[in-house]
Amino acid sequence: MRFGSAGRSAVAAAAVVGSLAVAGVVTFIASASDPAPSKPLPDTNVVVSPANGTQEATLGSRIEVKADGGRLTAVEAQDSEGHKVAGQLAEGGGSWTAQTKVKPQTTYTVRAVAKSDQGKESSSASTFTTQRPEKVNKVTISPSNGQTVGTGMPISILFDNPVDEDKRAEIEKALKVNAKPQAVGAWGWVKDYSGKDRLDYRTRTYWPSGTHVSVKGALAGIDSGKGGWFIRDYDFSFTVGTDRKAVIDVLAHTLTMFEYGKSVGTVKGSAGSLKYPTRGGVHTVRGKSAAEVMDSSTIGFGDEWKLPSQWVTYLTASGTFLHSAPWNNTIGQENSSHGCFGMTTEDAKTVYDFLPIGATVEVKGTSSTEKTDVGNGLEVWQETWDQWQQRSALK
């Protein structure tokens, strides 16, 4: 078939719009009406701080994750022991911040999922290690985990090393007390009888019997100042047992035991003399020992005596005890001790068995006007509630 010039022009035009075969390769040329080729959707730029691969991330920092060009949909951070790090996702998903500071000498892994503004989902992972602290501050806590205590028991945290005053508020904020039933309480900074810094928690009134108390301390990664860094968190609980108290009437030479407010027995004893009167106010039982030698040198009286005693109930750290005094022939008749309350061996055991650690012992009728310092044992009830609240760094 033969084509004229018009036919040849039509064939050429069709070839441009359609396809051209050159050496076995077929190339398609889009017409103006065909859709443009799609571009790949961009990923969200996820930035983790501290950066991936860091070997000495700064102590006291918090893990942060930020999303540029999109939003975070999920973030998971955990340490090398598998403990997850709680965090807060900002409104809109632009960032995520850990609720606690990083622990010293710990490796963390952070995984994040993000979605770009165009809807593309992407994920990223980051691993880093924190610095080793030059100095560590350890603590001793009472009551111990799982212990059953009396209604006057404070929570007491004794620090191995000093705590700078400007660091105390942050430490208080990191400690959470949960009581069932609920009870109003406050932390207070105390100088322990040993000279060490201490932080105690007492309630406005005594714990109700049966209260379950749990304490969580997110202290790891907090700087105590010249005393060093805390390297671990704390989680413990205790139960408040039977409501038991005692009242010493110095003038009547008696100790009366109360259970749920009702008298359940009275014993005779010998309190401090007029020269060495028994300390007044409300004391807290801080410990007990079935047998002990009463050594005068421990309370500033040299080598005057070393007397074996039994059923010793400790009140103050400076030496106010309830104990057996078999050497005393004036029990129930005269106050002749150096500040303790001495009893017969049988009565001392009755009191020893009756009072749990954390129970209160109130001393009435004493001639002593000396206020017992709060750190001289667990003497938190020597102050009013208003006075106690002034000890908090958050007041």
Side-chain angles (χ1 to χ4, degrees), residues 341-360:
F341 189 81
M343 296 162 280
T344 66
T345 300
E346 181 181 358
D347 287 344
K349 186 177 190 309
T350 297
V351 173
Y352 180 97
D353 291 340
F354 179 78
L355 293 173
I357 293 174
T360 57

PDB file of all heavy atoms in Angstrom, residues 341-360:
ATOM      1  N   PHE A 341      13.794   3.538 132.325  1.00  0.00           N
ATOM      2  CA  PHE A 341      12.707   3.057 133.171  1.00  0.00           C
ATOM      3  C   PHE A 341      12.991   1.594 133.446  1.00  0.00           C
ATOM      4  O   PHE A 341      12.850   0.740 132.564  1.00  0.00           O
ATOM      5  CB  PHE A 341      11.353   3.226 132.477  1.00  0.00           C
ATOM      6  CG  PHE A 341      10.172   2.946 133.372  1.00  0.00           C
ATOM      7  CD1 PHE A 341       9.710   3.908 134.253  1.00  0.00           C
ATOM      8  CD2 PHE A 341       9.522   1.718 133.335  1.00  0.00           C
ATOM      9  CE1 PHE A 341       8.625   3.667 135.094  1.00  0.00           C
ATOM     10  CE2 PHE A 341       8.434   1.455 134.148  1.00  0.00           C
ATOM     11  CZ  PHE A 341       7.988   2.437 135.047  1.00  0.00           C
ATOM     12  N   GLY A 342      13.443   1.307 134.691  1.00  0.00           N
ATOM     13  CA  GLY A 342      13.813  -0.049 135.060  1.00  0.00           C
ATOM     14  C   GLY A 342      12.657  -0.795 135.700  1.00  0.00           C
ATOM     15  O   GLY A 342      11.857  -0.220 136.439  1.00  0.00           O
ATOM     16  N   MET A 343      12.575  -2.100 135.433  1.00  0.00           N
ATOM     17  CA  MET A 343      11.489  -2.939 135.947  1.00  0.00           C
ATOM     18  C   MET A 343      12.042  -4.268 136.413  1.00  0.00           C
ATOM     19  O   MET A 343      13.228  -4.572 136.218  1.00  0.00           O
ATOM     20  CB  MET A 343      10.453  -3.189 134.820  1.00  0.00           C
ATOM     21  CG  MET A 343       9.752  -1.936 134.321  1.00  0.00           C
ATOM     22  SD  MET A 343       8.982  -2.215 132.683  1.00  0.00           S
ATOM     23  CE  MET A 343      10.419  -2.056 131.605  1.00  0.00           C
ATOM     24  N   THR A 344      11.188  -5.086 137.011  1.00  0.00           N
ATOM     25  CA  THR A 344      11.590  -6.466 137.300  1.00  0.00           C
ATOM     26  C   THR A 344      11.782  -7.183 135.963  1.00  0.00           C
ATOM     27  O   THR A 344      11.262  -6.751 134.921  1.00  0.00           O
ATOM     28  CB  THR A 344      10.527  -7.199 138.124  1.00  0.00           C
ATOM     29  OG1 THR A 344       9.339  -7.339 137.328  1.00  0.00           O
ATOM     30  CG2 THR A 344      10.206  -6.444 139.404  1.00  0.00           C
ATOM     31  N   THR A 345      12.491  -8.275 135.980  1.00  0.00           N
ATOM     32  CA  THR A 345      12.744  -9.023 134.742  1.00  0.00           C
ATOM     33  C   THR A 345      11.433  -9.495 134.115  1.00  0.00           C
ATOM     34  O   THR A 345      11.254  -9.432 132.893  1.00  0.00           O
ATOM     35  CB  THR A 345      13.663 -10.219 135.023  1.00  0.00           C
ATOM     36  OG1 THR A 345      14.893  -9.744 135.557  1.00  0.00           O
ATOM     37  CG2 THR A 345      13.941 -11.004 133.749  1.00  0.00           C
ATOM     38  N   GLU A 346      10.508  -9.951 134.956  1.00  0.00           N
ATOM     39  CA  GLU A 346       9.227 -10.439 134.445  1.00  0.00           C
ATOM     40  C   GLU A 346       8.428  -9.317 133.785  1.00  0.00           C
ATOM     41  O   GLU A 346       7.889  -9.490 132.681  1.00  0.00           O
ATOM     42  CB  GLU A 346       8.412 -11.045 135.590  1.00  0.00           C
ATOM     43  CG  GLU A 346       7.067 -11.610 135.148  1.00  0.00           C
ATOM     44  CD  GLU A 346       6.262 -12.177 136.313  1.00  0.00           C
ATOM     45  OE1 GLU A 346       6.770 -12.152 137.459  1.00  0.00           O
ATOM     46  OE2 GLU A 346       5.135 -12.654 136.078  1.00  0.00           O
ATOM     47  N   ASP A 347       8.368  -8.159 134.441  1.00  0.00           N
ATOM     48  CA  ASP A 347       7.613  -7.041 133.878  1.00  0.00           C
ATOM     49  C   ASP A 347       8.289  -6.470 132.630  1.00  0.00           C
ATOM     50  O   ASP A 347       7.614  -6.045 131.679  1.00  0.00           O
ATOM     51  CB  ASP A 347       7.434  -5.941 134.928  1.00  0.00           C
ATOM     52  CG  ASP A 347       6.429  -6.321 136.007  1.00  0.00           C
ATOM     53  OD1 ASP A 347       5.668  -7.277 135.774  1.00  0.00           O
ATOM     54  OD2 ASP A 347       6.415  -5.663 137.066  1.00  0.00           O
ATOM     55  N   ALA A 348       9.609  -6.465 132.619  1.00  0.00           N
ATOM     56  CA  ALA A 348      10.332  -5.972 131.441  1.00  0.00           C
ATOM     57  C   ALA A 348      10.025  -6.833 130.224  1.00  0.00           C
ATOM     58  O   ALA A 348       9.878  -6.321 129.102  1.00  0.00           O
ATOM     59  CB  ALA A 348      11.832  -5.955 131.721  1.00  0.00           C
ATOM     60  N   LYS A 349       9.908  -8.136 130.432  1.00  0.00           N
ATOM     61  CA  LYS A 349       9.561  -9.023 129.313  1.00  0.00           C
ATOM     62  C   LYS A 349       8.127  -8.780 128.850  1.00  0.00           C
ATOM     63  O   LYS A 349       7.835  -8.828 127.649  1.00  0.00           O
ATOM     64  CB  LYS A 349       9.735 -10.487 129.699  1.00  0.00           C
ATOM     65  CG  LYS A 349       9.533 -11.438 128.502  1.00  0.00           C
ATOM     66  CD  LYS A 349       9.786 -12.873 128.866  1.00  0.00           C
ATOM     67  CE  LYS A 349       9.814 -13.763 127.628  1.00  0.00           C
ATOM     68  NZ  LYS A 349       8.666 -13.603 126.734  1.00  0.00           N
ATOM     69  N   THR A 350       7.220  -8.521 129.795  1.00  0.00           N
ATOM     70  CA  THR A 350       5.832  -8.238 129.420  1.00  0.00           C
ATOM     71  C   THR A 350       5.767  -7.008 128.520  1.00  0.00           C
ATOM     72  O   THR A 350       5.089  -7.014 127.487  1.00  0.00           O
ATOM     73  CB  THR A 350       4.980  -8.002 130.688  1.00  0.00           C
ATOM     74  OG1 THR A 350       4.963  -9.193 131.467  1.00  0.00           O
ATOM     75  CG2 THR A 350       3.557  -7.624 130.315  1.00  0.00           C
ATOM     76  N   VAL A 351       6.491  -5.959 128.898  1.00  0.00           N
ATOM     77  CA  VAL A 351       6.515  -4.726 128.100  1.00  0.00           C
ATOM     78  C   VAL A 351       7.213  -4.968 126.764  1.00  0.00           C
ATOM     79  O   VAL A 351       6.768  -4.498 125.700  1.00  0.00           O
ATOM     80  CB  VAL A 351       7.212  -3.601 128.888  1.00  0.00           C
ATOM     81  CG1 VAL A 351       7.412  -2.366 128.018  1.00  0.00           C
ATOM     82  CG2 VAL A 351       6.401  -3.246 130.137  1.00  0.00           C
ATOM     83  N   TYR A 352       8.316  -5.705 126.800  1.00  0.00           N
ATOM     84  CA  TYR A 352       9.085  -6.046 125.592  1.00  0.00           C
ATOM     85  C   TYR A 352       8.203  -6.760 124.575  1.00  0.00           C
ATOM     86  O   TYR A 352       8.222  -6.451 123.371  1.00  0.00           O
ATOM     87  CB  TYR A 352      10.261  -6.908 126.012  1.00  0.00           C
ATOM     88  CG  TYR A 352      11.181  -7.381 124.909  1.00  0.00           C
ATOM     89  CD1 TYR A 352      12.363  -6.708 124.632  1.00  0.00           C
ATOM     90  CD2 TYR A 352      10.892  -8.541 124.180  1.00  0.00           C
ATOM     91  CE1 TYR A 352      13.229  -7.159 123.646  1.00  0.00           C
ATOM     92  CE2 TYR A 352      11.746  -9.002 123.195  1.00  0.00           C
ATOM     93  CZ  TYR A 352      12.914  -8.313 122.934  1.00  0.00           C
ATOM     94  OH  TYR A 352      13.766  -8.759 121.952  1.00  0.00           O
ATOM     95  N   ASP A 353       7.442  -7.735 125.044  1.00  0.00           N
ATOM     96  CA  ASP A 353       6.572  -8.506 124.154  1.00  0.00           C
ATOM     97  C   ASP A 353       5.381  -7.680 123.666  1.00  0.00           C
ATOM     98  O   ASP A 353       4.879  -7.912 122.561  1.00  0.00           O
ATOM     99  CB  ASP A 353       6.058  -9.754 124.875  1.00  0.00           C
ATOM    100  CG  ASP A 353       7.152 -10.786 125.132  1.00  0.00           C
ATOM    101  OD1 ASP A 353       8.189 -10.718 124.442  1.00  0.00           O
ATOM    102  OD2 ASP A 353       6.962 -11.635 126.026  1.00  0.00           O
ATOM    103  N   PHE A 354       4.939  -6.758 124.477  1.00  0.00           N
ATOM    104  CA  PHE A 354       3.732  -5.994 124.151  1.00  0.00           C
ATOM    105  C   PHE A 354       3.985  -4.910 123.104  1.00  0.00           C
ATOM    106  O   PHE A 354       3.172  -4.718 122.195  1.00  0.00           O
ATOM    107  CB  PHE A 354       3.166  -5.350 125.424  1.00  0.00           C
ATOM    108  CG  PHE A 354       1.933  -4.532 125.193  1.00  0.00           C
ATOM    109  CD1 PHE A 354       0.690  -5.133 125.032  1.00  0.00           C
ATOM    110  CD2 PHE A 354       2.001  -3.144 125.134  1.00  0.00           C
ATOM    111  CE1 PHE A 354      -0.451  -4.370 124.803  1.00  0.00           C
ATOM    112  CE2 PHE A 354       0.869  -2.372 124.912  1.00  0.00           C
ATOM    113  CZ  PHE A 354      -0.362  -2.992 124.751  1.00  0.00           C
ATOM    114  N   LEU A 355       5.096  -4.213 123.213  1.00  0.00           N
ATOM    115  CA  LEU A 355       5.355  -3.057 122.348  1.00  0.00           C
ATOM    116  C   LEU A 355       6.119  -3.450 121.089  1.00  0.00           C
ATOM    117  O   LEU A 355       7.260  -3.916 121.170  1.00  0.00           O
ATOM    118  CB  LEU A 355       6.150  -1.997 123.101  1.00  0.00           C
ATOM    119  CG  LEU A 355       5.442  -1.292 124.257  1.00  0.00           C
ATOM    120  CD1 LEU A 355       6.427  -0.390 125.003  1.00  0.00           C
ATOM    121  CD2 LEU A 355       4.243  -0.485 123.758  1.00  0.00           C
ATOM    122  N   PRO A 356       5.549  -3.243 119.902  1.00  0.00           N
ATOM    123  CA  PRO A 356       6.288  -3.491 118.661  1.00  0.00           C
ATOM    124  C   PRO A 356       7.178  -2.295 118.322  1.00  0.00           C
ATOM    125  O   PRO A 356       6.997  -1.191 118.865  1.00  0.00           O
ATOM    126  CB  PRO A 356       5.176  -3.639 117.629  1.00  0.00           C
ATOM    127  CG  PRO A 356       4.089  -2.743 118.134  1.00  0.00           C
ATOM    128  CD  PRO A 356       4.154  -2.826 119.631  1.00  0.00           C
ATOM    129  N   ILE A 357       8.128  -2.509 117.459  1.00  0.00           N
ATOM    130  CA  ILE A 357       8.913  -1.390 116.940  1.00  0.00           C
ATOM    131  C   ILE A 357       7.955  -0.442 116.221  1.00  0.00           C
ATOM    132  O   ILE A 357       7.125  -0.858 115.422  1.00  0.00           O
ATOM    133  CB  ILE A 357      10.015  -1.890 115.993  1.00  0.00           C
ATOM    134  CG1 ILE A 357      11.047  -2.687 116.789  1.00  0.00           C
ATOM    135  CG2 ILE A 357      10.673  -0.734 115.250  1.00  0.00           C
ATOM    136  CD1 ILE A 357      12.095  -3.356 115.949  1.00  0.00           C
ATOM    137  N   GLY A 358       8.062   0.846 116.548  1.00  0.00           N
ATOM    138  CA  GLY A 358       7.146   1.830 115.973  1.00  0.00           C
ATOM    139  C   GLY A 358       6.012   2.212 116.905  1.00  0.00           C
ATOM    140  O   GLY A 358       5.269   3.148 116.619  1.00  0.00           O
ATOM    141  N   ALA A 359       5.875   1.502 118.034  1.00  0.00           N
ATOM    142  CA  ALA A 359       4.862   1.886 119.024  1.00  0.00           C
ATOM    143  C   ALA A 359       5.342   3.137 119.757  1.00  0.00           C
ATOM    144  O   ALA A 359       6.545   3.423 119.821  1.00  0.00           O
ATOM    145  CB  ALA A 359       4.622   0.757 120.014  1.00  0.00           C
ATOM    146  N   THR A 360       4.426   3.886 120.337  1.00  0.00           N
ATOM    147  CA  THR A 360       4.802   5.098 121.059  1.00  0.00           C
ATOM    148  C   THR A 360       4.760   4.872 122.564  1.00  0.00           C
ATOM    149  O   THR A 360       3.957   4.079 123.066  1.00  0.00           O
ATOM    150  CB  THR A 360       3.884   6.276 120.694  1.00  0.00           C
ATOM    151  OG1 THR A 360       2.520   5.916 120.967  1.00  0.00           O
ATOM    152  CG2 THR A 360       4.034   6.653 119.236  1.00  0.00           C
TER     153      THR A 360
END
